[in-house]
Amino acid sequence: MKVIDFVGFSGSGKTTLVEQLVTIFCNAGFDVAAIKSAHHDIQVDKPGKDSYRFQAAGAQQVIVKNDSGWAMMKRTPLKPATLKELVSKLDPCDLVLVEGFKKEDDADLRLEVWRPGVKEEPAIYTQDKGIQAVLTEADSIAGCEIPVINLNNPRLIARFIADKLNLKSRF
């Protein structure tokens, strides 16, 4: 299983992008799972909620995580579940698209979804050398030394992921 972690501040567009990529990869014949790190109460499979959106996009497995538990609804009150622990709960699949594990580096590929002005803090990639590309509305960022990919082109992002992870391209 290849794990791709999308990090970024709340409101940057991570969920929408993951939803689009689930559809693209599923339509290309990949078996896709999704994991979400939530910082609020978990509500699973309600229309409009992230877990519902990921399933509707085609993911065969979805895990949503916050600090007090994770869904497929196993509570973890003593300590938050790690990304590695959650991935181990999944059945084998081709890709695991992960949203929001800013402080963990157990993914095969870490990408930042960044929109200037969403949060008055520097972009994560400026301080986290594990970020391998920035996904934003611009085609370039002055001084950025890693790839910058237009956030509004999810097919290009999917191709970047496939190339970076040496996936046999099916799209």
Side-chain angles (χ1 to χ4, degrees):
M1 292 189 293
K2 299 290 187 179
V3 179
I4 304 100
D5 188 11
F6 297 87
V7 302
F9 298 114
S10 179
S12 62
K14 297 181 305 294
T15 299
T16 298
L17 177 61
V18 169
E19 181 181 14
Q20 292 168 335
L21 291 171
V22 165
T23 299
I24 290 168
F25 283 118
C26 287
N27 288 342
F30 289 95
D31 186 8
V32 179
I35 298 177
K36 162 116 178 158
S37 176
H39 300 287
H40 47 75
D41 219 11
I42 297 173
Q43 295 186 15
V44 180
D45 293 328
K46 287 185 142 186
K49 294 295 179 184
D50 297 342
S51 60
Y52 182 89
R53 291 170 64 186
F54 294 156
Q55 271 194 329
Q60 287 84 23
Q61 302 174 73
V62 176
I63 294 177
V64 181
K65 175 256 180 208
N66 72 7
D67 287 345
S68 64
W70 58 279
M72 299 179 193
M73 291 321 293
K74 178 178 179 180
R75 297 287 176 194
T76 56
L78 299 179
K79 67 177 182 79
T82 66
L83 176 56
K84 190 173 188 175
E85 290 169 329
L86 295 173
V87 168
S88 76
K89 303 298 181 190
L90 295 171
D91 292 336
C93 61
D94 299 316
L95 299 171
V96 182
L97 302 184
V98 177
E99 179 186 337
F101 285 79
K102 286 183 211 163
K103 299 192 185 324
E104 295 191 40
D105 61 1
D106 286 326
D108 297 295
L109 184 61
R110 294 183 71 231
L111 307 172
E112 179 175 6
V113 178
W114 182 65
R115 289 184 197 262
V118 165
K119 189 160 184 167
E120 295 304 317
E121 290 184 32
I124 297 167
Y125 78 89
T126 63
Q127 299 166 352
D128 182 341
K129 299 307 174 201
I131 303 293
Q132 296 175 39
V134 179
L135 315 174
T136 189
E137 292 178 319
D139 290 321
S140 65
I141 301 171
C144 184
E145 297 178 3
I146 59 176
V148 175
I149 305 168
N150 194 302
L151 182 58
N152 297 314
N153 192 340
R155 283 211 171 276
L156 183 60
I157 295 167
R159 281 195 291 277
F160 174 82
I161 291 167
D163 290 346
K164 196 78 170 163
L165 297 177
N166 296 314
L167 301 174
K168 185 176 176 184
S169 182
R170 302 178 197 165
F171 53 92

